[in-house]
């Protein structure tokens, strides 16, 4: 029997719509169940985008409203406050790992990259593997990446190091055929899998007419101050590109709509994304002001751990090594998970 530690990671297969008689559907409804507790009642729902959207409506999970100049948290409408408070009181604990992709070929060349889809360098591959080593004892039930290959490579390479050895599987729901052709017909195999969701909303900020330009040459041409403003200010966009505020409007909205409900339900989530899409999410998690976020810098391939508990995000920094005692002292759940891995593998 699965231990309590693994129970939520494994999930429960449901015979809801989307499970065919002949087999288990993974790509659309993912085949996992999520337990949410609305207003004192328990309900199992399928973990699909469709049902999560329903759950957002039903349980009042907050949609990001247009970001205020000082915080991407934005105002919360009153019906949501009640439902969310209710969920917060009862929600389980979950780990959230954020990782910026490893070094890309354009990072190496010092070019503005934005939404240009550039792969990792050899060093970036090594950084991703090292990131995976550092989080190899932390539970991961769901993975979100941007639509860009450098984030996807990072997530996949990181997971090669994970001690639980579940298989990350990319979800394809771009059309009905993709959904149907990527079904999995074994319950056991499903239990050993981690769904990987690609979302363009987590992409790097669109850098407009700076994409492909050399950062140093651009600073020489327009001045350090102007280029720094384009790169790090909250609300000033680069020419025909997205400001951090604009990037936050899609990235934070996606986080709140799709990822926060999973954390509420106790799912452990890893997000592999980009310098600026992650800066906007961290601004939301840490409640940074538009001034504070200007000095936030993320290194390539460094994982950041948050614990989500009672509706609050607690930043736990970056685990330096897989066995770093401090990481497991953070919560009993993480310590138990690691103990379970040790028992299983030794
Ligand atoms: O070029 C980019 O896409 C980003 C991240 O590498 O650059 P910046 O450091 O200016 O945000």
């Amino acid at each position: 029997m699965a231990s309590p530690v693994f129970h939520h990671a494994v999930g429960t297969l449901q015979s809801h719509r989307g499970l065919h008689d002949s087999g288990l559907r993974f790509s659309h409804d993912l085949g996992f169940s999520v337990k949410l507790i609305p207003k004192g009642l328990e309900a199992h729902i399928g973990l699909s985008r469709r049902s999560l959207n329903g759950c957002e409506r039903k349980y009042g999970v907050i949609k990001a409203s247009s970001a205020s100049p000082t915080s991407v948290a934005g105002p919360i409408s009153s019906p949501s406050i009640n439902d969310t408070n209710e969920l917060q009181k009862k929600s389980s604990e979950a780990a959230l790992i954020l990782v910026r992709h490893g070094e890309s070929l354009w990072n190496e060349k010092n070019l503005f990259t934005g939404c240009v889809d550039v792969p990792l360098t050899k060093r970036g591959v090594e950084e991703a593997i090292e990131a995976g080593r550092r989080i190899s004892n932390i539970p991961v039930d769901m993975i979100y990446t941007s639509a860009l290959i450098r984030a996807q490579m990072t997530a996949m390479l990181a997971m090669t190091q994970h001690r639980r050895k579940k298989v990350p599987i990319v979800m394809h729901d771009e059309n009905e055929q993709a959904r149907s052709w990527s079904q999995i017909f074994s319950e056991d195999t499903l239990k050993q899998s981690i769904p990987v969701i690609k979302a363009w909303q987590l992409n790097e900020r669109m850098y407009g007419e700076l994409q492909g330009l050399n950062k140093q040459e651009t600073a020489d041409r327009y001045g350090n101050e102007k280029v720094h403003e384009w790169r790090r200010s909250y609300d000033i966009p680069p020419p025909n590109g997205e400001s951090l505020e604009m990037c936050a409007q899609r990235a934070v909205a996606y986080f709140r709509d799709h990822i926060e409900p999973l954390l509420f339900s106790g799912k452990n989530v890893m997000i592999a994304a980009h310098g600026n899409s992650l800066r906007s999410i961290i601004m939301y998690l840490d409640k940074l002001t538009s001034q504070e976020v200007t000095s936030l810098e993320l290194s390539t391939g460094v994982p950041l751990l948050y614990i989500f508990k009672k509706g609050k995000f607690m930043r736990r920094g970056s685990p330096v090594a897989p066995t770093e005692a401090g990481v497991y002292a953070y919560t009993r759940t993480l310590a138990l998970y690691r103990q379970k891995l040790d028992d299983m593998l030794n």
Side-chain angles (χ1 to χ4, degrees):
M1 202 179 99
S3 77
V5 176
F6 279 105
H7 181 74
H8 69 270
V10 167
T12 314
L13 284 155
Q14 302 286 299
S15 56
H16 53 69
R17 192 152 61 103
L19 290 183
H20 290 186
D21 291 344
S22 53
L24 302 162
R25 190 172 196 150
F26 192 55
S27 65
H28 194 61
D29 282 319
L30 303 177
F32 286 78
S33 80
V34 186
K35 205 173 182 185
L36 290 183
I37 309 167
K39 295 181 179 167
L41 293 171
E42 285 194 341
H44 282 84
I45 59 162
L47 202 164
S48 68
R49 289 172 194 207
R50 187 182 58 233
S51 49
L52 277 178
N53 284 339
C55 138
E56 286 152 16
R57 282 195 297 276
K58 196 165 168 190
Y59 302 103
V61 174
I62 314 145
K63 305 242 186 236
S65 50
S66 59
S68 77
T70 51
S71 162
V72 288
I76 297 166
S77 66
S78 46
S80 300
I81 286 175
N82 294 337
D83 290 350
T84 306
N85 285 348
E86 203 56 42
L87 269 176
Q88 283 172 357
K89 275 185 232 146
K90 295 178 178 172
S91 69
S92 343
E93 174 187 304
L96 170 67
I97 298 162
L98 307 179
V99 59
R100 182 182 171 201
H101 62 82
E103 182 195 68
S104 77
L105 282 156
W106 277 18
N107 291 142
E108 188 183 40
K109 290 178 187 291
N110 203 25
L111 305 183
F112 285 102
T113 315
C115 287
V116 181
D117 205 354
V118 177
L120 300 184
T121 59
K122 183 171 178 290
R123 180 173 160 191
V125 167
E126 286 160 7
E127 285 174 343
I129 291 171
E130 175 59 15
R133 207 179 63 79
R134 289 165 66 165
I135 55 153
S136 59
N137 280 312
I138 297 173
V140 177
D141 302 318
M142 290 285 290
I143 298 173
Y144 285 82
T145 77
S146 75
L148 301 173
I149 192 77
R150 57 193 186 274
Q152 294 165 17
M153 287 176 81
T154 300
M156 293 305 191
L157 289 165
M159 288 313 290
T160 62
Q161 302 303 300
H162 203 280
R163 292 178 75 209
R164 181 65 180 82
K165 295 291 172 220
K166 282 191 175 184
V167 177
I169 295 183
V170 177
M171 298 293 100
H172 284 282
D173 66 353
E174 48 272 22
N175 57 48
E176 187 47 42
Q177 178 175 307
R179 279 191 284 278
S180 151
W181 287 23
S182 57
Q183 285 177 77
I184 294 170
F185 293 88
S186 158
E187 186 172 333
D188 288 343
T189 304
L190 268 174
K191 285 179 181 170
Q192 297 308 320
S193 309
I194 303 176
V196 180
I197 312 271
K198 294 184 284 183
W200 70 266
Q201 293 90 334
L202 300 173
N203 280 8
E204 181 53 291
R205 141 248 287 269
M206 203 279 279
Y207 246 123
E209 290 163 20
L210 300 187
Q211 288 184 175
L213 302 193
N214 181 283
K215 289 175 184 172
Q216 188 53 54
E217 288 168 12
T218 309
D220 294 344
R221 182 166 172 198
Y222 297 97
N224 281 330
E225 207 174 311
K226 184 78 217 156
V227 170
H228 187 262
E229 195 175 70
W230 284 335
R231 292 180 69 186
R232 290 296 170 263
S233 70
Y234 178 62
D235 51 6
I236 300 172
N240 288 319
E242 285 183 305
S243 63
L244 186 66
E245 182 179 26
M246 290 153 82
C247 177
Q249 277 165 9
R250 55 167 166 93
V252 176
Y254 187 86
F255 180 86
R256 296 173 80 166
D257 286 356
H258 297 265
I259 300 174
E260 233 175 72
L262 293 179
L263 296 165
F264 266 121
S265 71
K267 293 280 173 195
N268 303 290
V269 177
M270 178 168 88
I271 304 175
H274 304 265
N276 294 293
S277 54
L278 288 174
R279 284 173 71 232
S280 72
I281 290 172
I282 291 171
M283 183 182 181
Y284 166 66
L285 300 179
D286 290 355
K287 298 186 171 59
L288 302 181
T289 64
S290 49
Q291 190 52 44
E292 286 167 336
V293 77
T294 58
S295 52
L296 176 64
E297 296 285 344
L298 301 184
S299 307
T300 49
V302 174
L304 294 174
L305 174 66
Y306 284 81
I307 301 297
F308 181 77
K309 204 172 179 179
K310 295 188 176 157
K312 289 202 172 65
F313 291 97
M314 288 168 281
R315 189 176 188 160
R316 292 304 186 198
S318 185
V320 175
T323 51
E324 185 192 347
V327 171
Y328 306 99
Y330 294 150
T331 76
R332 192 174 144 70
T333 311
L334 284 189
L336 282 171
Y337 180 83
R338 187 184 158 202
Q339 185 59 51
K340 181 79 190 171
L341 285 177
D342 289 348
D343 295 348
M344 207 170 82
L345 301 171
N346 291 335

